[in-house]
Amino acid sequence: MDFLPGFHPVGVAQWALVVTSIGIVLLLSFLVLNSRQAGLSHIPGPFLARYTDGWALYTAWRGIHFHNKVHVQRGLQARYGDVVRTGPRSVTVFDPAAVPVIYGVRSKLDKGNAYVPFRQAGMTTSLLSIPDEKTHSQYRKLVSNAYSMTSLKGYEPYVDDMVNRFVEVCNQHAFARKPMNLSLWCQYYCFDVVSKITMGKPLGSMQGEGHDAYGLVQRVRAFGFYSGLVSQMPWLHKVLQDNALMRKTRPSPFMKVVGGTVQARLRAPDPEDQPRPDLLSHFVATHAGYPSLMDEKQVLIMTSGNLIAGGLSPSASFDELCRYLATHPGSQDKLYAELQQAQCRLPASYDHVKNLPYLEGTIREAYRLHSSTSFNLQRVTGTAGLELPNGVQIPPNTNIGCPAGAINQDVRVFGADAAVQPRAVDAARERNE
Ligand code: HEM
Ligand SMILES: *[C@@H]1O[C@H](CO)[C@@H](O)[C@H](O)[C@H]1NC(C)=O
């Protein structure tokens, strides 16, 4: 019996449909408003990028997955020009002349949220992830003496120890006619070097047959993948990592060993087996002088951050340098001849090799083609906005950055053969002279 004619009970399915539709309409309105408010409608770019960082996230994933990041960047530049909108509030600048304007020490732009994934749970003061330039330079000043030229020269004997071990390993493989995975050993070598100059002792990756000590190489690689993606949509970091749950997880074996060393050195700053200052001695001395700014936790953050930052980029660069030399025997011969003529001994001293043009050119060319970061080093325009050298106006509070990979292949800077990969090292030499 139907006692309410005309009334049909609304099912769960219909309600869900209504709620979802309202949700979608609200989300779309938010995206459109957010896009309008950014004031970037005068900057061309892919349609989706105007409304969502999802475009950049997807593009970053493809770049990592297919190893074609620079190719994708150059495609964007060819299509949209030197200034491209790559997100609702993000702009990518391909003009080499903009590099000093965005990154120069005098421009003092703050870092953007792309650095948020570098924040370990609960720790906000690693140098790399401090966003505002004032705080950053304050912390940088605290540790800058550890990186002065005089200090660097003091670390040289430490590096020599590691060079000797590396050469020993190469020789063992050569005499036994055993293939050696140079990529892998470049990583072992660089992480041992940075550990030796930071804490006075290597992690031990180069011992015996060589192994990934404390799983650091593996972890750093996984983190590179994570940060490459999450930097494009930084709020994801809060959801995935920087939350109460993750803060309670146990420290990794790597953090444990670094923590142990730091604690010991804070208690006994000058151990007997430590004849020369390493980076940690500088940090500990700063702690003694400015205990409130450089507290014990800060010493740990600087030490562990240095180990990761100082192992990752150098090992990738060294690996690529070796690969270019291995694939260009002519360049290898030329480099060898230059080193022989300079009567270079092993291990070479910095003063002995610092003015060798072909060596310098080889290293610079490897840096040029080096595929360091998977995202732009992001900065944020200040309250006044920013005028780019080509006259384009960028409004205030806009994320801005230059893609190093594409700019390093820009014909305006490096000449017509800039995109030849890998190109003869001779060209690098000419540029360098
Ligand atoms: C081939 C060598 C290297 C390359 C290509 C390289 C590259 C980089 C890049 C791209 C950044 C980020 C800069 C930014 O976001 O603005 C950085 C930061 C950093 N690197 Fe390196 N790096 C190298 C060697 C080293 C070494 C040997 C150490 C330590 C001994 C080191 C320690 C650091 C530290 C502590 C930071 C954070 C600095 C800050 O934010 O003020 N790096 N590096
Ligand atoms: C050498 O090591 C690299 C880096 O770990 C790895 O990607 C590569 O597959 C290894 N090559 C061989 C032949 O094992």
Side-chain angles (χ1 to χ4, degrees), residues 26-49:
L26 282 178
L27 180 67
L28 288 180
S29 324
F30 168 77
L31 294 180
V32 170
L33 273 179
N34 184 42
S35 176
R36 289 259 170 88
Q37 271 175 358
L40 290 172
S41 52
H42 60 301
I43 311 229
F47 175 78
L48 271 181

Side-chain angles (χ1 to χ4, degrees), residues 181 183-184 187 221:
N181 187 336
S183 286
L184 209 53
Q187 294 175 342
R221 189 174 320 144

Side-chain angles (χ1 to χ4, degrees), residues 53-352:
D53 286 323
W55 179 87
L57 182 69
Y58 175 68
T59 309
W61 176 80
R62 285 185 51 122
I64 296 173
H65 190 73
F66 297 110
H67 297 287
N68 65 354
K69 180 187 58 179
V70 177
H71 180 76
V72 171
Q73 288 171 350
R74 287 165 58 84
L76 269 184
Q77 181 184 19
R79 178 137 185 224
Y80 299 104
D82 269 346
V83 188
V84 182
R85 185 176 190 183
T86 45
R89 289 173 184 275
S90 303
V91 168
T92 295
V93 184
F94 291 87
D95 179 8
V99 172
V101 177
I102 294 170
Y103 299 107
V105 275
R106 270 185 304 159
S107 36
K108 290 194 172 24
L109 298 187
D110 287 351
K111 286 179 175 178
N113 284 335
Y115 287 87
V116 165
F118 292 92
R119 233 177 258 166
Q120 298 161 36
M123 294 186 176
T124 54
T125 48
S126 81
L127 264 190
L128 190 65
S129 66
I130 296 174
D132 81 287
E133 175 49 33
K134 263 214 183 102
T135 317
H136 179 262
S137 71
Q138 187 187 15
Y139 277 99
R140 200 185 49 207
K141 269 194 207 110
L142 278 178
V143 295
S144 61
N145 64 337
Y147 300 90
S148 71
M149 197 60 200
T150 322
S151 303
L152 293 187
K153 287 217 165 146
Y155 308 142
E156 199 171 355
Y158 285 151
V159 181
D160 288 347
D161 290 349
M162 297 297 104
V163 171
N164 289 335
R165 173 63 192 148
F166 186 62
V167 172
E168 188 183 45
V169 170
C170 292
N171 282 338
Q172 280 165 359
H173 281 80
F175 293 138
R177 302 203 147 265
K178 210 166 89 183
M180 176 175 173
N181 187 336
L182 206 50
S183 286
L184 209 53
W185 277 94
C186 281
Q187 294 175 342
Y188 295 163
Y189 166 74
C190 287
F191 277 102
D192 267 6
V193 168
V194 77
S195 172
K196 181 94 180 171
I197 65 175
T198 304
M199 310 191 295
K201 58 182 180 205
L203 287 173
S205 313
M206 286 200 291
Q207 272 164 17
E209 294 287 295
H211 74 294
D212 181 7
Y214 307 102
L216 189 60
V217 171
Q218 169 61 30
R219 285 178 71 89
V220 164
R221 189 174 320 144
F223 182 71
F225 180 71
Y226 172 82
S227 61
L229 295 184
V230 173
S231 58
Q232 305 304 312
M233 224 185 229
W235 56 263
L236 284 176
H237 186 60
K238 272 240 173 294
V239 181
L240 298 171
Q241 288 283 319
D242 194 10
N243 52 42
L245 200 70
M246 295 307 278
R247 238 164 273 175
K248 289 213 181 80
T249 54
R250 277 180 302 141
S252 64
F254 166 69
M255 281 309 276
K256 265 196 208 146
V257 70
V258 179
T261 308
V262 167
Q263 277 305 322
R265 291 281 288 279
L266 282 166
R267 306 291 158 252
D270 299 308
E272 274 163 31
D273 59 344
Q274 197 63 38
R276 298 177 293 263
D278 50 21
L279 279 132
L280 183 50
S281 348
H282 288 284
F283 302 156
V284 170
T286 310
H287 166 68
Y290 308 88
S292 57
L293 273 175
M294 187 85 168
D295 60 14
E296 296 196 353
K297 195 170 174 193
Q298 193 61 32
V299 175
L300 175 61
I301 293 176
M302 266 317 299
T303 308
S304 59
N306 195 79
L307 280 164
I308 293 166
L312 181 63
S313 296
S315 64
S317 319
F318 189 32
D319 180 11
E320 285 174 343
L321 174 61
C322 292
R323 189 154 48 83
Y324 294 134
L325 281 173
T327 49
H328 291 71
S331 303
Q332 215 182 113
D333 292 345
K334 222 164 164 173
L335 179 60
Y336 189 67
E338 186 183 72
L339 293 173
Q340 248 185 345
Q341 205 186 6
Q343 295 178 331
C344 202
R345 269 179 234 292
L346 254 172
S349 76
Y350 172 72
D351 281 331
H352 199 149

